[in-house]
Amino acid sequence: MAQSGLGTATMLARLAVRTQGTRRITLAIAGTALGLGMTLALGWAWSMALGWRYLALDAMVRAHGTLNALGFGLLGLASLAGLQFPPAHSGATAMPVLHLGRPSPEALAALAAGAADTTPTAPAGMLHAPAPPGFRRDRWTRSAEHHDFEAARRAVTNWRAQAAAGMALSPALPPIEVGTTLAFAYPVGPGSVTGTCRIVEVTHESDRFGFVYATLPHHPEVGEERFLVERDPLGTITAVIEAVWRPGNVITRIGGPATRYFQLRATRRYLDGMTTEPTTTGHQG
């Protein structure tokens, strides 16, 4: 058992080398803690078999249990949960979905580049069909503060919804075209959530403009989401956000109410960005 634990500790150390930022540190600590805890257990087992002087059982158990529970169990689970890897041939480094701080623009660019070779995790056309079992359908709307449809269209093309939510994007201003792959970082307290997605549908009509993106493997959810602005015959402009989704990893599954809270908070800010009359025309994220 101890030897197996030492092997796992070695794998954690090797995995730490492949990651970056805070996740590299926590993985290294988890591997070191597991290695120390299993070394204590192995030493105690040999001392019992050979009659060596060693730590008393209660002292060994306290140290062994603390290292395993806090160092390996807590930090190891937090480090491994949601960890995603781009294709091996892409040359991009691994990045967690949830981590402390914000990734650098270079790290986001590498994440987007690695995602270019991946395929959507959601079935195509989910927004045009009944939600599959296990998926949830949400729809939010809000009337704009103005009647300038071109301004509303620019809000979509300039990604003002995402800017209002505090997101950083790579590319900084992704083109609204089918096939565009992008990466994002969404702030969550002292940390952030990263994800990748691809535009799979574009609506470009005289009174309707928007796009649908599908989630890629590095994303906290699985599904499709639509960002749309539309003008009715009276000139009222409405922003529409529609999603069919389910949790995509252990973090969003066990997060429960917290996951929903951050999702709704982001949606409110999306609608703010899409409906408020802009003072600038660029995306600063």
Side-chain angles (χ1 to χ4, degrees):
M1 179 67 181
Q3 289 172 340
S4 298
L6 290 172
T8 303
T10 301
M11 289 189 289
L12 285 171
R14 295 179 62 183
L15 183 59
V17 175
R18 298 182 57 194
T19 59
Q20 55 189 349
T22 304
R23 191 57 56 96
R24 173 177 289 182
I25 298 172
T26 55
L27 278 172
I29 294 174
T32 301
L34 180 61
L36 290 174
M38 289 303 173
T39 299
L40 284 174
L42 192 61
W44 182 84
W46 279 106
S47 73
M48 292 295 294
L50 301 176
W52 297 342
R53 289 180 59 84
Y54 197 69
L55 292 173
L57 178 60
D58 59 343
M60 190 280 295
V61 168
R62 283 197 298 270
H64 171 82
T66 300
L67 287 167
N68 284 350
L70 299 181
F72 172 62
L74 180 61
L75 288 182
L77 177 62
S79 301
L80 293 172
L83 193 64
Q84 303 283 346
F85 288 91
H89 62 275
S90 70
T93 56
M95 179 183 290
V97 169
L98 177 64
H99 54 99
L100 293 176
R102 274 200 181 191
S104 66
E106 294 76 18
L108 267 187
L111 183 61
D117 295 328
T118 61
T119 57
T121 52
M126 294 186 70
L127 288 172
H128 302 292
F135 284 80
R136 173 173 183 156
R137 181 183 294 273
D138 287 317
R139 178 182 171 88
W140 299 272
T141 64
R142 186 187 297 175
S143 296
E145 298 177 355
H146 57 86
H147 292 78
D148 186 347
F149 185 71
E150 284 305 306
R153 186 184 65 80
R154 287 194 302 271
V156 176
T157 58
N158 290 331
W159 297 79
R160 291 191 67 243
Q162 288 71 21
M167 282 188 174
L169 302 179
S170 184
L173 198 65
I176 307 298
E177 300 173 354
V178 172
T180 294
T181 297
L182 62 137
F184 67 84
Y186 174 65
V188 178
S192 58
V193 172
T194 56
T196 56
C197 49
R198 179 171 300 132
I199 295 178
V200 294
E201 179 183 321
V202 174
T203 300
H204 195 169
E205 302 171 2
S206 60
D207 293 310
R208 300 175 75 240
F209 183 84
F211 65 90
V212 174
Y213 75 61
T215 58
L216 296 175
H218 184 106
H219 199 287
E221 297 172 358
V222 173
E224 290 185 343
E225 188 166 18
R226 182 195 310 277
F227 295 83
L228 181 75
V229 289
E230 53 188 7
R231 177 174 54 188
D232 67 15
L234 298 178
T236 301
I237 297 170
T238 302
V240 179
I241 296 177
E242 186 176 7
V244 176
W245 66 281
R246 65 167 174 79
N249 58 40
V250 65
I251 295 174
T252 47
R253 283 195 294 271
I254 68 176
T259 297
R260 188 62 173 169
Y261 166 78
F262 285 111
Q263 184 189 55
L264 293 176
R265 187 185 72 169
T267 301
R268 288 193 297 269
R269 294 177 179 180
Y270 290 159
L271 292 170
D272 289 342
M274 295 171 69
T275 59
T276 305
E277 190 162 12
T279 57
T280 60
T281 58
H283 172 73
Q284 302 301 319

